[in-house]
Amino acid sequence: EAGVAQSPRYKIIEKRQSVAFWCNPISGHATLYWYQQILGQGPKLLIQFQNNGVVDDSQLPKDRFSAERLKGVDSTLKIQPAKLEDSAVYLCASSSGIAETQYFGPGTRLLVL
Amino acid sequence: AQSVAQPEDQVNVAEGNPLTVKCTYSVSGNPYLFWYVQYPNRGLQFLLKYITGDNLVKGSYGFEAEFNKSQTSFHLKKPSALVSDSALYFCAVRDPASNSGYALNFGKGTSLLVTP
C-alpha cells in the first residue's frame, strides 16, 4: 500500500512570509498527526485529527499556525507569518485508529531566512 | 507527565558486533513503547512496539527490544550490526492513561554508526 505523502519536500521562505504544507495519509487511516522536528531533537506533536475533528492541538502555536482536514482525508498545515525558529522538518503521520501504530511521511524541510 | 530519555547521543559499533541503543521512560500508567529509525532526508520508519505481553519484542530488520518494567527501560538491540543500520534511532512512549490523545512523546534520538 502507498505510504503517507507530503509536499513540498523542501521550502525556503523569508521571515514574515506564509507557507503551507500538504499531507495525504495512508488510505483508510482515520487519524492524522502533524509533528515538528527541530534539528537535533525528536519530533514534537503539533496537532492530531480524528477524521476531520481535532483531538489535540495543545502544542500548536495558534497565533501563527493553523491546520485543517476538511474532508477527513488530506490535511494542510499553514504558518503565517513565519519566524526564524520555525525552521524545522514538518512530519505528517497517520494511523488506522487513535491507539494504533503511526506511520510517517518523508517530511517537509522548512528553512526560514 | 510522560517522558523519554535516550542517554547516548551517538553509539559506535563495528559491523558484526551486537548493538544496543538505550531508552528509559517515565509515565504514570502502563506505557506503550515504540522504536523508530530515521535515515537521512527521510521520515521515521516504524521498527517495533511494546503494548503488553512478552517483554521481548521482535521487529523489522532483525531488531528487538526488551521491556523492563522495574528499570523503566526499553533498550533496542540487534545481535549482529550491519553498516546499513547506521541511522538515527528514536524511542517514543505513549501513556494510555493520559488525555493527550495518544500522541507519541519522542526522545531526542541516538545516532548509530556502524563501521566496516
Side-chain angles (χ1 to χ4, degrees), chain B:
Chain B
Q2 54 184 339
S3 67
V4 175
Q6 293 182 244
E8 303 153 318
D9 290 336
Q10 181 161 319
V11 170
N12 297 316
V13 64
E15 186 174 33
N17 284 357
L19 70 87
T20 299
V21 182
K22 296 180 180 178
C23 172
T24 59
Y25 66 89
S26 174
V27 299
S28 56
N30 293 318
Y32 293 3
L33 293 156
F34 301 78
W35 277 102
Y36 285 83
V37 60
Q38 187 174 38
Y39 296 98
N41 298 316
R42 298 181 66 178
L44 278 72
Q45 295 181 33
F46 170 72
L47 281 179
L48 51 81
K49 67 180 177 183
Y50 171 83
I51 304 296
T52 187
D54 194 347
N55 288 344
L56 184 63
V57 179
K58 295 188 182 296
S60 305
Y61 313 120
F63 284 93
E64 60 188 27
E66 186 168 10
F67 171 64
N68 188 317
K69 188 172 184 177
S70 63
Q71 297 185 8
T72 61
S73 67
F74 189 57
H75 301 330
L76 181 70
K77 300 180 180 182
K78 187 173 183 180
S80 179
L82 299 172
V83 172
S84 57
D85 292 329
S86 299
L88 193 56
Y89 290 80
F90 289 94
C91 181
V93 66
R94 174 194 294 156
D95 182 359
S98 78
N99 58 0
S100 64
Y102 291 93
L104 291 175
N105 191 356
F106 284 87
K108 64 179 173 60
T110 298
S111 178
L112 174 66
L113 179 62
V114 181
T115 53

Side-chain angles (χ1 to χ4, degrees), chain A:
Chain A
E1 67 182 1
V4 177
Q6 290 188 247
S7 67
R9 292 295 309 276
Y10 305 93
K11 191 74 176 178
I12 301 175
I13 61 173
E14 295 186 348
K15 60 183 179 183
R16 292 187 289 274
Q17 286 187 324
S18 63
V19 64
F21 313 129
W22 173 82
C23 173
N24 181 245
I26 293 172
S27 178
H29 279 194
T31 312
L32 185 147
Y33 311 79
W34 282 102
Y35 288 85
Q36 180 192 57
Q37 185 179 17
I38 293 173
L39 187 64
Q41 299 180 21
K44 183 188 77 172
L45 180 74
L46 292 174
I47 189 167
Q48 176 186 345
F49 292 94
Q50 178 70 12
N51 295 309
N52 60 351
V54 175
V55 175
D56 182 2
D57 64 355
S58 58
Q59 298 190 76
L60 187 72
K62 298 181 186 65
D63 58 334
R64 298 184 299 107
F65 286 65
S66 64
E68 60 184 13
R69 194 184 184 200
L70 294 176
K71 297 183 178 180
V73 181
D74 294 6
S75 177
T76 302
L77 177 69
K78 296 180 181 178
I79 307 175
Q80 182 179 13
K83 293 185 175 181
L84 297 177
E85 59 261 36
D86 297 332
S87 294
V89 176
Y90 291 84
L91 295 165
C92 179
S94 71
S95 63
S96 58
I98 198 167
E100 300 302 318
T101 298
Q102 296 177 29
Y103 295 93
F104 285 78
T108 296
R109 186 175 298 273
L110 173 68
L111 179 60
V112 182
L113 302 176

